[in-house]
Amino acid sequence: MARKMERMLILSAVGEFSMGILGNTFIGLVSFMDWVKNRKIASIDLILMSLALSRICLLCAILLDCFILVVYPDIYDNNEKMRIIDFFWTLTNQLSVSFATCLSIFYFFKIANFFHPLFLWMKGRIHKVILWTLLVSLVLSVFISIPVTGNWNDNFRSCVKGRKKTNFTWRCGINDNLYASTKLILNLVTLFPFAVSLLSFLLLILSLWRHTRQMKLNATGHRDPSTEAHIRALKSVISFLVLFVAYCLAFLIATSSYFMPETELAVIFGELIALIYPSSHSFILILGNNKLRQTSVKVLCKLKYILKGRKI
């Protein structure tokens, strides 16, 4: 029964992985082609392309771990290989969260209306601000991921694989404090970009409230371009926040699963939920971006035309 459940979860993971690769590849290609066409890249395209690439790598890391656990469990005994996978997963996870935060920062500076000198100064240099933010995010993500190359995760993997073996309590009692403290630190680090995105979301709400109040005083309609831009940005940021919370909960399930009766199933189930975040958010970004949405409509129309031609 457990093996059947594992296969079902793996098939679900492959489906989510395929959708995520499709959406993120589309975002990356559109942004890259626009860069080549205009011979320069806009800040939003740079963020979207970086975010799409990091999420493609994150999806590959999560699915690879699922396959290793179910199909090639012996690889769990090779600590060197697993440390590389752990580092790759942690790095892409940190990059994905950081780049999504950069997107929230971009929406805030591009759309919000404040008259503070520092805000206006940074808004006028938005391209440089975003470029430096992306570079700092890359450096910090590499630095944060380095502790994963240690042996703190070896105990967790042995527990996952050896749940049904003897001496389980002894094997899982080694370095529990080290594992828990390192995992706690890594989870707390991800809260900083989440807090920045949350702050951007709250400031966007404040900017929208001030803008709509000004529209009322001037007896102007509420659905002006600025209001629409605020609402689109808020939808994008809040979708990231909600999906990221779900992702963190899934990650907590996967990394704490050696306390659960069916450890392997708990890990796969946690990773299955974790795949929702990088997969579904890409389609939310496509729908919320005019250029991506229009391009996707054109691509779908062409595909429909080609399919009709083949039927004829």
Side-chain angles (χ1 to χ4, degrees), residues 34-47:
D34 195 61
W35 181 12
V36 173
K37 181 181 178 181
N38 299 324
R39 296 184 180 179
K40 63 178 182 179
I41 186 167
S43 297
I44 183 65
D45 289 331
L46 179 61
I47 298 172

Side-chain angles (χ1 to χ4, degrees), residues 236-252:
S236 177
V237 176
I238 196 173
S239 64
F240 162 68
L241 294 175
V242 172
L243 289 170
F244 182 69
V245 169
Y247 175 78
C248 288
L249 292 175
F251 191 69
L252 184 62

Side-chain angles (χ1 to χ4, degrees), residues 212-230:
T212 52
R213 189 179 64 170
Q214 188 66 32
M215 291 297 100
K216 287 181 180 179
L217 291 175
N218 296 333
T220 308
H222 301 288
R223 307 299 287 186
D224 61 297
S226 180
T227 303
E228 294 290 348
H230 274 83

Side-chain angles (χ1 to χ4, degrees), residues 24-70:
N24 286 290
T25 301
F26 176 78
I27 292 174
L29 283 176
V30 172
S31 301
F32 179 75
M33 290 173 65
D34 195 61
W35 181 12
V36 173
K37 181 181 178 181
N38 299 324
R39 296 184 180 179
K40 63 178 182 179
I41 186 167
S43 297
I44 183 65
D45 289 331
L46 179 61
I47 298 172
L48 290 174
M49 190 166 62
S50 303
L51 182 60
L53 181 60
S54 66
R55 284 180 171 171
I56 289 172
C57 296
L58 177 61
L59 287 165
C60 292
I62 297 175
L63 188 68
L64 178 62
D65 192 73
C66 285
F67 268 105
I68 289 175
L69 181 60
V70 176

Side-chain angles (χ1 to χ4, degrees), residues 121-187:
W121 181 83
M122 295 183 73
K123 186 170 185 175
R125 295 162 177 80
I126 185 64
H127 187 74
K128 290 184 178 180
V129 170
I130 292 300
L131 181 60
W132 278 106
T133 305
L134 291 172
L135 290 174
V136 170
S137 298
L138 177 61
V139 174
L140 288 178
S141 297
V142 174
F143 180 75
I144 292 169
S145 304
I146 290 176
V148 182
T149 57
N151 62 355
W152 63 272
N153 210 24
D154 296 344
N155 182 50
F156 167 72
R157 289 194 297 270
S158 65
C159 291
V160 172
K161 188 183 174 186
R163 184 68 180 175
K164 298 179 180 178
K165 295 181 180 179
T166 58
N167 264 343
F168 171 77
T169 304
W170 177 79
R171 292 179 68 183
C172 293
I174 303 172
N175 291 331
D176 263 355
N177 293 331
L178 178 61
Y179 175 81
S181 60
T182 309
K183 181 59 60 179
L184 178 62
I185 292 172
L186 288 175
N187 287 332

